[in-house]
């Protein structure tokens, strides 16, 4: 089967329709607005390619002006999808693209659309609009750098090359002696454009799908690492992230594990219900995040027990942090819940200046200090440094 213009258009219709359907199926599981915009863009390309087939029947207004206008709209939707993906906001000036397109529709009222000069003008204007849209989409992806997936980086470069190709088309249209007849699909640049369009559809669709799929996988991984109630790390995530901190510990940069347990937490659940207890846990999580020093890690180990792994710690810094959390939590609990015994925090800290072996061993040492705090009357901090307990 020869790759004549009608065959290439038929292939483009099939590829664009398949891409639109594929992205729509992905949207049903991912529910990202960018996929909707991209799917709609490919659907419009499919419709525009169907209309382009009508040129052979002499319907040049629909087959040339309107079909090429739909191509511009499709690429505008691609840009809109990239903007939604990168959470960027497009200025209202980008809607002027539609004014330019509508302006072109007035040309057939006074001109013959198949004339060589106006075929060139049509090709140049449409190509420049697509070029601008694609280069803008590519630049929206650029600032995100390595935070993007391989698919997103690939999408950036595919859109960039696609935009540059349309820029080359616009330049070609201005070259004297170039044969361009949109009505009859005559001209080498038109032949090349049809081939490039089919290839671009496949590459763009695959890149778009890989982009959103990777982000969904990253989101799932983040959720798996977080406690669903407080949004702090869970114990498993803390164990994996603690390894890097352990490697950086030295005599000059000691570290510490601070364990936190809520005193008389059961009273809140018994008197006010588990929803009230959840609100108290959430409040403590927010306090920990607000007071968390840079480079430190915070996690909910389970129940009403929390942990903070501090880098470059000192006994004085631990006492200041513990006092801040104890005071804030004591006031918040007292204002919200009246209990026979005060709802406070007991804390135990384990300081270390060499690799502790494992987080489990470190927690075991910290637990000893935490229970010493509870035995000592609660609402206090106990520290263990080189197996020597110090009251705080």
């Amino acid at each position: 089967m020869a790759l004549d213009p009608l065959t290439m258009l038929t292939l483009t219709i099939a590829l664009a329709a398949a891409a639109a359907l594929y992205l729509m199926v992905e949207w049903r599981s991912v529910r990202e607005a960018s996929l909707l915009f991209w799917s709609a863009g490919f659907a419009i390309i499919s419709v525009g390619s169907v209309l382009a087939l009508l040129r052979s029947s002499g319907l040049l207004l629909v087959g040339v002006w309107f079909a090429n206008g739909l191509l511009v709209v499709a690429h505008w939707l691609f840009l809109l999808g990239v903007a939604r993906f990168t959470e960027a906001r497009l200025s209202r000036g980008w809607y002027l693209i539609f004014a330019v397109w509508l302006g072109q529709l007035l040309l057939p009222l006074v001109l013959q659309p198949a004339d060589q000069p106006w075929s060139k003008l049509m090709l140049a204007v449409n190509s420049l609009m697509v070029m601008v849209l694609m280069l803008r989409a590519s630049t929206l992806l650029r600032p995100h750098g390595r935070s993007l997936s391989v698919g997103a980086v690939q999408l950036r470069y595919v859109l960039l090359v696609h935009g540059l190709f349309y820029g080359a088309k616009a330049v070609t249209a201005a070259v004297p002696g170039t044969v361009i007849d949109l009505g009859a699909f005559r001209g080498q640049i038109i032949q090349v454009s049809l081939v490039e369009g089919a290839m671009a559809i496949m590459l763009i669709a695959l890149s778009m799908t890989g982009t959103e799929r990777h982000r969904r996988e990253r989101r799932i991984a983040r959720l798996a690492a977080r406690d669903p109630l407080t949004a702090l790390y869970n114990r498993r995530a803390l164990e994996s992230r603690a390894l890097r901190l352990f490697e950086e510990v030295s005599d000059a940069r000691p570290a510490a594990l601070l364990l936190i347990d809520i005193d008389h937490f059961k009273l809140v659940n018994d008197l006010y219900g588990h929803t009230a207890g959840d609100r108290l846990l959430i409040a403590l999580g927010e306090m920990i995040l607000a007071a968390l020093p840079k480079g430190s890690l915070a996690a909910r180990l389970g129940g009403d027990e929390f942990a903070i792994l501090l880098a470059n710690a000192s006994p004085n810094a631990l006492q200041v942090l513990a006092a801040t959390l104890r005071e804030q939590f004591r006031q918040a609990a007292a204002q919200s819940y009246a209990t026979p015994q005060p709802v406070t925090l007991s804390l135990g800290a384990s300081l270390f200046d060499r690799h502790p072996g494992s987080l489990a061993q470190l927690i075991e040492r910290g637990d000893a200090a935490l229970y010493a705090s509870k035995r000592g009357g609660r609402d206090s901090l106990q520290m263990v440094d080189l197996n020597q307990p110090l009251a705080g």
Side-chain angles (χ1 to χ4, degrees):
M1 182 171 59
L3 295 180
D4 58 89
L6 295 182
T7 300
M8 289 305 304
L9 274 176
T10 303
L11 181 62
T12 299
I13 293 168
L15 289 174
L21 181 61
Y22 184 48
L23 290 169
M24 180 58 69
V25 171
E26 285 291 311
W27 174 82
R28 293 187 63 181
S29 60
V30 179
R31 296 291 177 177
E32 289 289 347
S34 56
L35 288 173
L36 277 180
F37 290 119
W38 293 336
S39 178
F42 282 117
I44 288 176
I45 287 177
S46 185
V47 173
S49 298
V50 171
L51 296 180
L53 292 173
L54 299 178
R55 302 182 196 185
S56 59
S57 301
L59 300 176
L60 299 183
L61 175 61
V62 174
V64 178
W65 261 264
F66 200 75
N68 281 279
L70 288 182
L71 181 68
V72 175
V73 173
H75 285 82
W76 186 84
L77 287 171
F78 290 164
L79 171 61
L80 196 58
V82 171
R84 291 299 296 266
F85 174 78
T86 58
E87 299 179 353
R89 298 187 66 178
L90 295 175
S91 65
R92 294 181 179 179
W94 288 100
Y95 291 86
L96 293 176
I97 290 288
F98 295 104
V100 177
W101 172 46
L102 290 173
Q104 287 188 112
L105 295 180
L106 300 177
L107 291 178
L109 298 178
V110 294
L111 300 169
Q112 292 298 318
D115 286 347
Q116 279 282 324
W118 300 109
S119 285
K120 288 188 173 184
L121 178 61
M122 179 74 180
L123 183 71
V125 173
N126 275 273
S127 297
L128 287 174
M129 285 192 287
V130 172
M131 179 194 72
V132 170
L133 292 169
M134 291 300 90
L135 293 183
R136 178 55 178 156
S138 179
T139 56
L140 284 180
L141 290 167
R142 184 178 59 185
H144 295 257
R146 295 181 180 178
S147 66
L148 292 176
S149 67
V150 173
V153 174
Q154 185 182 55
L155 176 60
R156 170 193 164 192
Y157 286 110
V158 170
L159 295 179
L160 175 62
V161 173
H162 190 54
L164 292 176
F165 174 79
Y166 270 85
K169 283 176 62 176
V171 172
T172 303
V175 176
T178 305
V179 177
I180 297 175
D181 187 345
L182 295 178
F185 291 111
R186 290 180 59 238
Q188 188 174 5
I189 187 60
I190 298 177
Q191 308 287 332
V192 174
S193 181
L194 289 170
V195 175
E196 189 275 341
M199 295 176 59
I201 287 173
M202 292 186 291
L203 291 174
I204 293 174
L206 290 174
S207 300
M208 287 173 172
T209 305
T211 294
E212 282 294 0
R213 185 177 296 166
H214 178 82
R215 187 159 71 172
R216 177 183 58 181
E217 292 171 353
R218 287 186 61 185
R219 185 182 296 113
I220 292 172
R222 285 197 301 269
L223 290 175
R226 296 286 178 175
D227 170 56
L229 184 64
T230 63
L232 298 176
Y233 287 126
N234 54 32
R235 179 163 183 159
R236 181 177 179 180
L238 182 64
E239 288 177 345
S240 63
R241 286 162 174 77
L243 297 177
R244 175 179 292 183
L245 188 147
F246 290 164
E247 296 296 334
E248 298 175 353
V249 173
S250 64
D251 293 337
R253 290 179 57 85
L257 175 71
L258 181 64
L259 295 181
I260 305 169
D261 189 84
I262 301 178
D263 303 319
H264 307 300
F265 179 67
K266 188 174 184 296
L267 290 176
V268 176
N269 283 331
D270 292 344
L271 295 174
Y272 296 94
H274 289 279
T275 301
D278 288 346
R279 286 198 295 266
L280 197 60
L281 293 173
I282 293 171
L284 177 55
E286 292 173 347
M287 294 175 193
I288 290 173
L289 283 177
L292 192 66
K294 184 178 180 181
S296 301
L297 303 169
R300 181 188 176 200
L301 300 182
D304 60 335
E305 188 172 12
F306 295 76
I308 302 177
L309 195 55
L310 298 106
N312 199 19
S314 68
N316 182 62
L318 280 171
Q319 290 178 352
V320 171
L321 176 59
T324 299
L325 292 175
R326 284 165 50 204
E327 180 64 24
Q328 290 180 353
F329 185 79
R330 187 191 307 114
Q331 292 182 7
Q335 291 174 1
S336 301
Y337 310 106
T339 54
Q341 295 172 297
V343 180
T344 55
L345 296 180
S346 289
L347 303 98
S350 175
L351 292 95
F352 56 100
D353 57 9
R354 60 184 61 87
H355 200 297
S358 69
L359 182 65
Q361 295 178 15
L362 198 59
I363 290 177
E364 185 177 352
R365 292 178 60 194
D367 274 336
L370 177 61
Y371 291 132
S373 173
K374 285 187 174 294
R375 289 194 302 268
R378 296 183 171 87
D379 192 22
S380 64
L381 165 69
Q382 289 286 337
M383 290 188 290
V384 175
D385 188 357
L386 299 178
N387 298 319
Q388 297 295 322
L390 296 171

